[in-house]
Amino acid sequence: MSNCWISYSCILWLSIVFNLHVSATTRFYDFKVQTMRITKMCKSKQIVSINQMFPGPVIYAQEDDQIIVKVTNETPYNTTLHWHGVRQKLSCWYDGPSYITQCPILSGQKFVYKFTLEKQKGTLFWHAHVSWLRGTVYGAIVVYPKMGIPSPFRNPYKEQIILLGEYWHKDVVQLEHEALESGGAPTPADAFTINGHPGPNYKCSSNNDVYKMVVIPGKTYMLRIVNAALNSEHFFTIAHHRMTIVEADGEYTKPLIVNHLMIAPGQTINVLVTADQPINRYSMAMGPYVSAKNISFQKLPAISYFQYTGCTPKQIVMSAQLPTVNDDLAVKTVMDGLRSLHPVMVPREIDVNLFFTIGLNVEKCGSSNPDKNCQGPHGGVLGASVNNISFTSPTFSLLQAYYKDINGHFTRDFPDTPHKVYDYVNGAPNNIPHDTQSLVGTRTKVLEFGSRVELILQDTGTVSTENHPVHMHGYSFYVVGYGSGNYNPRTAKLNLVDPPYLNTIGVPVGGWAAIRFVADNPGVWFMHCHLEIHMSWGLSMAFIVKNGKGEMQTLPPPPGDMPTC
């Protein structure tokens, strides 16, 4: 990824180049899905990319702009693109998850995505949403406030996009197939990356594959941090520098000063950093946060440089200190301090109360070749579920089936609560695989337009408690509560004044998160864990939000160029 410095003193230049007027503008992008050969850690391979870029191109826009992206698939793989964090008001057809809102774009086909960034600003991102192509197909979305509307913090001198990722020498589609075929855990990443670069900890990367951010002493910079990784959550820190969080998932927050942060796949965080240390090179480090037990993971952190102008090559790099890999308290401390900038309109009266348990399962393995296909615990097959129902991906677009009233592709009976009640965290049944086996199906939960919803997401210890980054398409939501253990409505402390407004919430290891939202956007909306292997195993479900009254509460017909299954 080329350095993409944006100086706030250059906004006038941007307004000319990108036509950033006070009124909304339509911005056009041409994305070609292509293969390209890259070399990392002394090995070369073909990857899927957009416009021969890794990471992919940045979408720049302004609040309320319309975005039009023509996507042409020039690879042998099926593909779709998801615009992560974009609320897709009345544009569910363009949300992008394969077989949920659309059929994939086949090799040689085109599809034009159209959506409006209505009342949205900040840092979001886009990524592939079919198979594991997100491993290399991703990029940032930067949405500026309208001209003349100031940010609630002093303008930084410059800003920089920081994309966190994972990298494998193997083809990522092959990796998914191998994991699902084995019944066991996936292969850990060969490296972590910062803006596509592994850094000096990895073989053959010490000099030519390290990302460097050059800074001027005394200046303040904004980092737009995006975690686009596939299967692991990450800590991020800068040696000897403190960071001030000012935005999360595209929404302003009260300033929160931290030494490090944990950012899960699917999350975006903006921080301010002042270059107020002696002139030197300081490492920016990205390392794993591992909340589950008995799993393999990449232990080497990715390193990049926060490098002051004037430092010499002979100076020793100041090393960053990451939290220990299982430091749950470090995660909780940051989340506890995250608040919306101002008091917000949280739904007080609730129409729909939902309680969803999330976690892993072990299914019985009926393979005739157990050594190859039954590598889960106790000779079973690993799975995942919501309310003990493992989502089965359909072979036809759910949105098209729902809109056209085509039977046979899904049911409308996703339960509001789990079928079995037990001590979810401490006494989960673990007679593997018998008591952990899930039901399977393509089940959806139907919501009336305008419903005020409270959803409790409860982690379970059936196989292992674990932090799960749960993402909801089409909506952001208020995180009104967050705690350890089993959710208890009598003792849970809820923040109904200034809770953070997020689109992805890390449900804490052995704990719960309470979210609230108003179902005011009709369509079919996917909700899933953003650890890709968990989604592949079935930790997902879909909401159907019915039409309301009138044109502004009714989903328009599908576009004429929708891909067909």
Side-chain angles (χ1 to χ4, degrees), residues 27-34 49-53 55-60 67-75 79-83 105 109-113 115 125-128 137-141:
R27 310 193 183 283
F28 298 89
Y29 289 86
D30 188 7
F31 278 18
K32 290 182 170 56
V33 188
Q34 301 168 323
S49 68
I50 299 296
N51 298 349
Q52 299 280 307
M53 296 173 65
V58 180
I59 287 181
Y60 289 103
I67 306 297
I68 297 178
V69 186
K70 183 176 76 172
V71 177
T72 305
N73 186 4
E74 299 178 357
T75 75
T79 194
T80 66
L81 293 183
H82 169 53
W83 316 95
I105 307 168
Q109 289 187 342
K110 301 177 183 179
F111 180 52
V112 178
Y113 291 91
F115 52 88
F125 77 117
W126 58 264
H127 59 78
V137 181
Y138 59 84
I141 302 174

Short mmCIF file of all heavy atoms in Angstrom, two decimals, residues 27-34 49-53 55-60 67-75 79-83 105 109-113 115 125-128 137-141:
data_model
loop_
_atom_site.label_atom_id
_atom_site.label_comp_id
_atom_site.label_asym_id
_atom_site.label_seq_id
_atom_site.Cartn_x
_atom_site.Cartn_y
_atom_site.Cartn_z
N ARG A 27 -19.50 9.66 -6.12
CA ARG A 27 -18.12 9.29 -6.39
C ARG A 27 -18.08 7.92 -7.05
O ARG A 27 -18.73 6.98 -6.59
CB ARG A 27 -17.31 9.26 -5.10
CG ARG A 27 -17.51 10.52 -4.31
CD ARG A 27 -16.52 10.68 -3.19
NE ARG A 27 -16.86 11.90 -2.46
CZ ARG A 27 -16.58 13.11 -2.89
NH1 ARG A 27 -15.91 13.29 -4.00
NH2 ARG A 27 -16.96 14.17 -2.20
N PHE A 28 -17.31 7.82 -8.11
CA PHE A 28 -17.25 6.61 -8.92
C PHE A 28 -15.90 5.91 -8.71
O PHE A 28 -14.84 6.55 -8.73
CB PHE A 28 -17.43 6.94 -10.40
CG PHE A 28 -18.77 7.55 -10.73
CD1 PHE A 28 -18.95 8.92 -10.68
CD2 PHE A 28 -19.86 6.76 -11.07
CE1 PHE A 28 -20.18 9.51 -10.97
CE2 PHE A 28 -21.09 7.32 -11.36
CZ PHE A 28 -21.25 8.70 -11.32
N TYR A 29 -15.96 4.61 -8.53
CA TYR A 29 -14.75 3.79 -8.41
C TYR A 29 -14.88 2.58 -9.32
O TYR A 29 -15.97 2.03 -9.51
CB TYR A 29 -14.55 3.33 -6.96
CG TYR A 29 -14.12 4.46 -6.04
CD1 TYR A 29 -15.06 5.28 -5.44
CD2 TYR A 29 -12.78 4.70 -5.80
CE1 TYR A 29 -14.68 6.33 -4.61
CE2 TYR A 29 -12.38 5.74 -4.97
CZ TYR A 29 -13.34 6.55 -4.38
OH TYR A 29 -12.95 7.59 -3.57
N ASP A 30 -13.75 2.19 -9.88
CA ASP A 30 -13.70 1.04 -10.78
C ASP A 30 -12.80 -0.01 -10.14
O ASP A 30 -11.58 0.17 -10.09
CB ASP A 30 -13.16 1.48 -12.15
CG ASP A 30 -13.25 0.39 -13.20
OD1 ASP A 30 -13.86 -0.67 -12.92
OD2 ASP A 30 -12.71 0.57 -14.29
N PHE A 31 -13.39 -1.08 -9.63
CA PHE A 31 -12.64 -2.14 -8.96
C PHE A 31 -12.58 -3.37 -9.87
O PHE A 31 -13.62 -3.93 -10.24
CB PHE A 31 -13.33 -2.55 -7.66
CG PHE A 31 -13.01 -1.66 -6.49
CD1 PHE A 31 -12.49 -0.39 -6.65
CD2 PHE A 31 -13.26 -2.10 -5.19
CE1 PHE A 31 -12.21 0.43 -5.57
CE2 PHE A 31 -12.99 -1.30 -4.09
CZ PHE A 31 -12.47 -0.03 -4.28
N LYS A 32 -11.37 -3.76 -10.22
CA LYS A 32 -11.16 -4.99 -10.97
C LYS A 32 -10.59 -6.04 -10.03
O LYS A 32 -9.53 -5.84 -9.43
CB LYS A 32 -10.23 -4.75 -12.15
CG LYS A 32 -10.87 -3.91 -13.26
CD LYS A 32 -9.93 -3.72 -14.44
CE LYS A 32 -10.67 -3.10 -15.63
NZ LYS A 32 -11.32 -1.82 -15.28
N VAL A 33 -11.31 -7.14 -9.88
CA VAL A 33 -10.85 -8.24 -9.04
C VAL A 33 -9.87 -9.05 -9.87
O VAL A 33 -10.26 -9.66 -10.88
CB VAL A 33 -12.02 -9.12 -8.56
CG1 VAL A 33 -11.54 -10.14 -7.53
CG2 VAL A 33 -13.13 -8.26 -7.99
N GLN A 34 -8.61 -9.04 -9.47
CA GLN A 34 -7.54 -9.63 -10.29
C GLN A 34 -6.59 -10.45 -9.41
O GLN A 34 -6.50 -10.23 -8.19
CB GLN A 34 -6.74 -8.53 -10.98
CG GLN A 34 -7.57 -7.64 -11.89
CD GLN A 34 -6.82 -6.39 -12.34
OE1 GLN A 34 -6.05 -5.81 -11.57
NE2 GLN A 34 -7.05 -5.97 -13.57
N SER A 49 -6.67 -9.77 -5.60
CA SER A 49 -6.52 -8.37 -5.20
C SER A 49 -7.52 -7.51 -5.96
O SER A 49 -8.23 -7.98 -6.85
CB SER A 49 -5.09 -7.88 -5.52
OG SER A 49 -4.90 -7.81 -6.93
N ILE A 50 -7.58 -6.25 -5.59
CA ILE A 50 -8.35 -5.26 -6.34
C ILE A 50 -7.36 -4.32 -7.01
O ILE A 50 -6.50 -3.72 -6.36
CB ILE A 50 -9.28 -4.45 -5.41
CG1 ILE A 50 -10.29 -5.36 -4.71
CG2 ILE A 50 -10.00 -3.36 -6.22
CD1 ILE A 50 -11.27 -6.06 -5.62
N ASN A 51 -7.46 -4.23 -8.32
CA ASN A 51 -6.62 -3.33 -9.12
C ASN A 51 -5.13 -3.57 -8.88
O ASN A 51 -4.33 -2.62 -8.85
CB ASN A 51 -6.96 -1.86 -8.84
CG ASN A 51 -8.40 -1.52 -9.21
OD1 ASN A 51 -9.08 -2.30 -9.87
ND2 ASN A 51 -8.86 -0.36 -8.79
N GLN A 52 -4.75 -4.84 -8.67
CA GLN A 52 -3.34 -5.20 -8.49
C GLN A 52 -2.72 -4.48 -7.29
O GLN A 52 -1.52 -4.16 -7.30
CB GLN A 52 -2.54 -4.89 -9.76
CG GLN A 52 -3.01 -5.65 -10.99
CD GLN A 52 -2.48 -7.07 -11.03
OE1 GLN A 52 -1.28 -7.31 -10.92
NE2 GLN A 52 -3.38 -8.02 -11.19
N MET A 53 -3.51 -4.26 -6.24
CA MET A 53 -3.01 -3.57 -5.05
C MET A 53 -3.24 -4.44 -3.83
O MET A 53 -4.30 -5.04 -3.67
CB MET A 53 -3.72 -2.22 -4.87
CG MET A 53 -3.46 -1.21 -5.97
SD MET A 53 -4.49 0.28 -5.78
CE MET A 53 -3.83 0.94 -4.25
N PRO A 55 -2.46 -3.89 0.43
CA PRO A 55 -3.93 -3.87 0.48
C PRO A 55 -4.54 -3.06 -0.66
O PRO A 55 -3.83 -2.41 -1.42
CB PRO A 55 -4.22 -3.23 1.84
CG PRO A 55 -2.98 -3.42 2.64
CD PRO A 55 -1.86 -3.33 1.64
N GLY A 56 -5.86 -3.11 -0.74
CA GLY A 56 -6.55 -2.52 -1.87
C GLY A 56 -6.69 -1.01 -1.79
O GLY A 56 -6.29 -0.37 -0.81
N PRO A 57 -7.28 -0.40 -2.83
CA PRO A 57 -7.40 1.06 -2.90
C PRO A 57 -8.32 1.60 -1.80
O PRO A 57 -9.20 0.93 -1.30
CB PRO A 57 -8.01 1.30 -4.28
CG PRO A 57 -8.65 0.01 -4.66
CD PRO A 57 -7.84 -1.07 -4.02
N VAL A 58 -8.07 2.87 -1.45
CA VAL A 58 -8.87 3.56 -0.44
C VAL A 58 -10.05 4.25 -1.12
O VAL A 58 -9.90 4.85 -2.19
CB VAL A 58 -8.03 4.61 0.30
CG1 VAL A 58 -8.86 5.33 1.35
CG2 VAL A 58 -6.80 3.97 0.93
N ILE A 59 -11.23 4.15 -0.51
CA ILE A 59 -12.38 4.92 -0.95
C ILE A 59 -12.44 6.18 -0.09
O ILE A 59 -12.57 6.09 1.14
CB ILE A 59 -13.68 4.11 -0.84
CG1 ILE A 59 -13.71 3.04 -1.94
CG2 ILE A 59 -14.91 5.01 -0.93
CD1 ILE A 59 -14.95 2.20 -1.95
N TYR A 60 -12.32 7.34 -0.72
CA TYR A 60 -12.44 8.62 -0.03
C TYR A 60 -13.80 9.23 -0.35
O TYR A 60 -14.26 9.21 -1.51
CB TYR A 60 -11.34 9.59 -0.48
CG TYR A 60 -9.97 9.23 0.01
CD1 TYR A 60 -9.03 8.64 -0.84
CD2 TYR A 60 -9.61 9.48 1.33
CE1 TYR A 60 -7.77 8.31 -0.38
CE2 TYR A 60 -8.34 9.15 1.78
CZ TYR A 60 -7.43 8.57 0.92
OH TYR A 60 -6.18 8.24 1.39
N ILE A 67 -21.86 6.54 -3.28
CA ILE A 67 -20.70 5.80 -3.79
C ILE A 67 -21.18 4.81 -4.84
O ILE A 67 -22.13 4.06 -4.60
CB ILE A 67 -19.97 5.06 -2.67
CG1 ILE A 67 -19.59 6.01 -1.53
CG2 ILE A 67 -18.73 4.34 -3.21
CD1 ILE A 67 -18.64 7.10 -1.92
N ILE A 68 -20.53 4.81 -5.98
CA ILE A 68 -20.83 3.84 -7.04
C ILE A 68 -19.52 3.12 -7.38
O ILE A 68 -18.53 3.76 -7.76
CB ILE A 68 -21.41 4.53 -8.29
CG1 ILE A 68 -22.75 5.19 -7.95
CG2 ILE A 68 -21.57 3.53 -9.43
CD1 ILE A 68 -23.39 5.92 -9.11
N VAL A 69 -19.52 1.81 -7.20
CA VAL A 69 -18.32 1.01 -7.44
C VAL A 69 -18.65 -0.08 -8.46
O VAL A 69 -19.46 -0.98 -8.17
CB VAL A 69 -17.78 0.36 -6.15
CG1 VAL A 69 -16.45 -0.34 -6.43
CG2 VAL A 69 -17.63 1.38 -5.04
N LYS A 70 -18.04 0.01 -9.63
CA LYS A 70 -18.20 -1.05 -10.63
C LYS A 70 -17.16 -2.13 -10.35
O LYS A 70 -15.96 -1.87 -10.36
CB LYS A 70 -18.02 -0.51 -12.05
CG LYS A 70 -18.24 -1.57 -13.12
CD LYS A 70 -18.16 -1.01 -14.53
CE LYS A 70 -16.72 -0.76 -14.94
NZ LYS A 70 -16.58 -0.39 -16.36
N VAL A 71 -17.63 -3.34 -10.09
CA VAL A 71 -16.75 -4.46 -9.76
C VAL A 71 -16.77 -5.45 -10.91
O VAL A 71 -17.83 -5.97 -11.29
CB VAL A 71 -17.18 -5.15 -8.45
CG1 VAL A 71 -16.30 -6.36 -8.17
CG2 VAL A 71 -17.12 -4.16 -7.29
N THR A 72 -15.60 -5.70 -11.47
CA THR A 72 -15.44 -6.67 -12.55
C THR A 72 -14.57 -7.81 -12.06
O THR A 72 -13.45 -7.60 -11.61
CB THR A 72 -14.77 -6.02 -13.78
OG1 THR A 72 -15.51 -4.86 -14.17
CG2 THR A 72 -14.72 -7.00 -14.95
N ASN A 73 -15.10 -9.02 -12.14
CA ASN A 73 -14.37 -10.18 -11.63
C ASN A 73 -13.54 -10.81 -12.74
O ASN A 73 -14.07 -11.46 -13.64
CB ASN A 73 -15.35 -11.21 -11.05
CG ASN A 73 -14.63 -12.37 -10.38
OD1 ASN A 73 -13.41 -12.39 -10.27
ND2 ASN A 73 -15.40 -13.35 -9.93
N GLU A 74 -12.22 -10.63 -12.67
CA GLU A 74 -11.30 -11.18 -13.67
C GLU A 74 -10.53 -12.37 -13.12
O GLU A 74 -9.49 -12.75 -13.67
CB GLU A 74 -10.34 -10.07 -14.13
CG GLU A 74 -11.05 -8.89 -14.78
CD GLU A 74 -10.09 -7.78 -15.21
OE1 GLU A 74 -8.87 -7.91 -14.94
OE2 GLU A 74 -10.56 -6.79 -15.81
N THR A 75 -11.04 -12.98 -12.04
CA THR A 75 -10.37 -14.14 -11.45
C THR A 75 -11.23 -15.39 -11.65
O THR A 75 -12.40 -15.30 -12.02
CB THR A 75 -10.17 -13.94 -9.93
OG1 THR A 75 -11.43 -14.11 -9.26
CG2 THR A 75 -9.61 -12.56 -9.63
N THR A 79 -16.87 -13.97 -6.27
CA THR A 79 -16.52 -12.88 -5.36
C THR A 79 -17.74 -12.02 -5.05
O THR A 79 -18.72 -11.98 -5.81
CB THR A 79 -15.39 -12.01 -5.94
OG1 THR A 79 -14.86 -11.18 -4.93
CG2 THR A 79 -15.90 -11.15 -7.08
N THR A 80 -17.70 -11.36 -3.90
CA THR A 80 -18.60 -10.26 -3.56
C THR A 80 -17.78 -9.29 -2.72
O THR A 80 -16.74 -9.66 -2.16
CB THR A 80 -19.82 -10.71 -2.73
OG1 THR A 80 -19.37 -11.16 -1.45
CG2 THR A 80 -20.61 -11.81 -3.41
N LEU A 81 -18.25 -8.07 -2.58
CA LEU A 81 -17.61 -7.09 -1.70
C LEU A 81 -18.64 -6.58 -0.70
O LEU A 81 -19.79 -6.29 -1.06
CB LEU A 81 -17.02 -5.92 -2.49
CG LEU A 81 -15.84 -6.23 -3.41
CD1 LEU A 81 -15.33 -4.95 -4.07
CD2 LEU A 81 -14.71 -6.92 -2.68
N HIS A 82 -18.21 -6.48 0.54
CA HIS A 82 -19.04 -5.93 1.62
C HIS A 82 -18.46 -4.61 2.08
O HIS A 82 -17.25 -4.48 2.26
CB HIS A 82 -19.09 -6.92 2.79
CG HIS A 82 -19.71 -6.36 4.03
ND1 HIS A 82 -20.96 -5.77 4.04
CD2 HIS A 82 -19.24 -6.29 5.32
CE1 HIS A 82 -21.23 -5.37 5.28
NE2 HIS A 82 -20.22 -5.66 6.06
N TRP A 83 -19.32 -3.63 2.31
CA TRP A 83 -18.91 -2.28 2.70
C TRP A 83 -19.16 -2.18 4.20
O TRP A 83 -20.20 -1.75 4.67
CB TRP A 83 -19.69 -1.27 1.87
CG TRP A 83 -19.71 -1.73 0.44
CD1 TRP A 83 -20.69 -2.46 -0.19
CD2 TRP A 83 -18.64 -1.61 -0.52
NE1 TRP A 83 -20.31 -2.76 -1.47
CE2 TRP A 83 -19.06 -2.26 -1.71
CE3 TRP A 83 -17.39 -1.01 -0.48
CZ2 TRP A 83 -18.26 -2.33 -2.85
CZ3 TRP A 83 -16.59 -1.07 -1.62
CH2 TRP A 83 -17.04 -1.72 -2.78
N ILE A 105 -20.54 -12.72 -7.66
CA ILE A 105 -20.16 -12.27 -8.99
C ILE A 105 -19.26 -13.35 -9.58
O ILE A 105 -18.17 -13.60 -9.06
CB ILE A 105 -19.42 -10.92 -8.94
CG1 ILE A 105 -20.24 -9.89 -8.16
CG2 ILE A 105 -19.12 -10.41 -10.35
CD1 ILE A 105 -19.46 -8.63 -7.81
N GLN A 109 -17.94 -11.77 -14.81
CA GLN A 109 -19.14 -10.95 -14.65
C GLN A 109 -18.82 -9.62 -13.97
O GLN A 109 -17.75 -9.42 -13.40
CB GLN A 109 -20.19 -11.70 -13.81
CG GLN A 109 -20.83 -12.87 -14.54
CD GLN A 109 -21.98 -13.46 -13.74
OE1 GLN A 109 -22.11 -13.24 -12.54
NE2 GLN A 109 -22.82 -14.24 -14.41
N LYS A 110 -19.81 -8.70 -14.04
CA LYS A 110 -19.70 -7.38 -13.41
C LYS A 110 -20.93 -7.14 -12.54
O LYS A 110 -22.00 -7.70 -12.77
CB LYS A 110 -19.61 -6.27 -14.47
CG LYS A 110 -18.44 -6.38 -15.42
CD LYS A 110 -18.50 -5.29 -16.48
CE LYS A 110 -17.35 -5.44 -17.47
NZ LYS A 110 -17.40 -4.39 -18.54
N PHE A 111 -20.75 -6.30 -11.55
CA PHE A 111 -21.87 -5.83 -10.74
C PHE A 111 -21.52 -4.45 -10.23
O PHE A 111 -20.38 -4.20 -9.82
CB PHE A 111 -22.16 -6.78 -9.57
CG PHE A 111 -23.30 -6.36 -8.70
CD1 PHE A 111 -24.54 -6.04 -9.24
CD2 PHE A 111 -23.15 -6.28 -7.32
CE1 PHE A 111 -25.60 -5.65 -8.44
CE2 PHE A 111 -24.21 -5.89 -6.50
CZ PHE A 111 -25.44 -5.58 -7.07
N VAL A 112 -22.48 -3.54 -10.23
CA VAL A 112 -22.26 -2.17 -9.80
C VAL A 112 -22.93 -1.97 -8.44
O VAL A 112 -24.15 -2.11 -8.31
CB VAL A 112 -22.81 -1.15 -10.81
CG1 VAL A 112 -22.60 0.27 -10.29
CG2 VAL A 112 -22.13 -1.33 -12.16
N TYR A 113 -22.12 -1.68 -7.42
CA TYR A 113 -22.62 -1.39 -6.08
C TYR A 113 -22.94 0.10 -5.97
O TYR A 113 -22.14 0.94 -6.39
CB TYR A 113 -21.58 -1.76 -5.02
CG TYR A 113 -21.34 -3.24 -4.86
CD1 TYR A 113 -20.35 -3.90 -5.60
CD2 TYR A 113 -22.09 -4.00 -3.96
CE1 TYR A 113 -20.12 -5.26 -5.44
CE2 TYR A 113 -21.87 -5.35 -3.79
CZ TYR A 113 -20.88 -5.98 -4.54
OH TYR A 113 -20.65 -7.33 -4.38
N PHE A 115 -24.49 2.90 -3.03
CA PHE A 115 -24.99 3.16 -1.68
C PHE A 115 -24.63 4.58 -1.27
O PHE A 115 -23.74 5.21 -1.85
CB PHE A 115 -24.42 2.15 -0.67
CG PHE A 115 -22.91 2.02 -0.70
CD1 PHE A 115 -22.12 2.85 0.08
CD2 PHE A 115 -22.30 1.07 -1.50
CE1 PHE A 115 -20.74 2.73 0.06
CE2 PHE A 115 -20.92 0.94 -1.53
CZ PHE A 115 -20.14 1.77 -0.74
N PHE A 125 -14.38 0.19 6.41
CA PHE A 125 -13.55 -0.50 5.42
C PHE A 125 -14.40 -1.43 4.56
O PHE A 125 -15.58 -1.65 4.85
CB PHE A 125 -12.37 -1.22 6.07
CG PHE A 125 -12.66 -2.53 6.78
CD1 PHE A 125 -12.09 -3.71 6.33
CD2 PHE A 125 -13.43 -2.57 7.93
CE1 PHE A 125 -12.31 -4.91 6.98
CE2 PHE A 125 -13.64 -3.76 8.61
CZ PHE A 125 -13.09 -4.94 8.13
N TRP A 126 -13.81 -1.89 3.50
CA TRP A 126 -14.49 -2.83 2.60
C TRP A 126 -13.66 -4.11 2.51
O TRP A 126 -12.44 -4.09 2.71
CB TRP A 126 -14.69 -2.20 1.20
CG TRP A 126 -13.40 -1.76 0.53
CD1 TRP A 126 -12.87 -0.51 0.52
CD2 TRP A 126 -12.50 -2.59 -0.21
NE1 TRP A 126 -11.69 -0.50 -0.17
CE2 TRP A 126 -11.43 -1.76 -0.63
CE3 TRP A 126 -12.48 -3.93 -0.57
CZ2 TRP A 126 -10.35 -2.24 -1.39
CZ3 TRP A 126 -11.41 -4.41 -1.31
CH2 TRP A 126 -10.38 -3.56 -1.72
N HIS A 127 -14.33 -5.20 2.20
CA HIS A 127 -13.60 -6.47 2.08
C HIS A 127 -14.44 -7.49 1.32
O HIS A 127 -15.66 -7.35 1.22
CB HIS A 127 -13.20 -7.02 3.45
CG HIS A 127 -14.34 -7.29 4.39
ND1 HIS A 127 -15.14 -8.41 4.30
CD2 HIS A 127 -14.83 -6.59 5.45
CE1 HIS A 127 -16.05 -8.41 5.27
NE2 HIS A 127 -15.90 -7.30 5.97
N ALA A 128 -13.77 -8.51 0.80
CA ALA A 128 -14.48 -9.61 0.16
C ALA A 128 -15.34 -10.32 1.19
O ALA A 128 -14.99 -10.41 2.37
CB ALA A 128 -13.48 -10.59 -0.47
N VAL A 137 -8.24 -9.38 0.08
CA VAL A 137 -9.10 -8.41 -0.61
C VAL A 137 -9.75 -7.50 0.43
O VAL A 137 -10.80 -7.82 0.99
CB VAL A 137 -10.17 -9.13 -1.46
CG1 VAL A 137 -11.05 -8.11 -2.20
CG2 VAL A 137 -9.51 -10.08 -2.45
N TYR A 138 -9.10 -6.38 0.71
CA TYR A 138 -9.63 -5.43 1.69
C TYR A 138 -8.98 -4.07 1.50
O TYR A 138 -7.90 -3.95 0.93
CB TYR A 138 -9.41 -5.93 3.12
CG TYR A 138 -7.97 -6.16 3.52
CD1 TYR A 138 -7.16 -5.12 3.97
CD2 TYR A 138 -7.41 -7.44 3.48
CE1 TYR A 138 -5.85 -5.33 4.36
CE2 TYR A 138 -6.09 -7.66 3.86
CZ TYR A 138 -5.32 -6.61 4.30
OH TYR A 138 -4.00 -6.82 4.67
N GLY A 139 -9.67 -3.05 2.00
CA GLY A 139 -9.13 -1.68 1.94
C GLY A 139 -9.96 -0.76 2.82
O GLY A 139 -11.03 -1.14 3.32
N ALA A 140 -9.49 0.45 3.00
CA ALA A 140 -10.13 1.40 3.91
C ALA A 140 -11.17 2.25 3.20
O ALA A 140 -11.10 2.48 1.99
CB ALA A 140 -9.07 2.31 4.55
N ILE A 141 -12.15 2.71 3.98
CA ILE A 141 -13.11 3.73 3.55
C ILE A 141 -12.93 4.92 4.50
O ILE A 141 -13.08 4.77 5.72
CB ILE A 141 -14.56 3.24 3.62
CG1 ILE A 141 -14.75 1.99 2.73
CG2 ILE A 141 -15.52 4.34 3.19
CD1 ILE A 141 -16.14 1.37 2.86
#
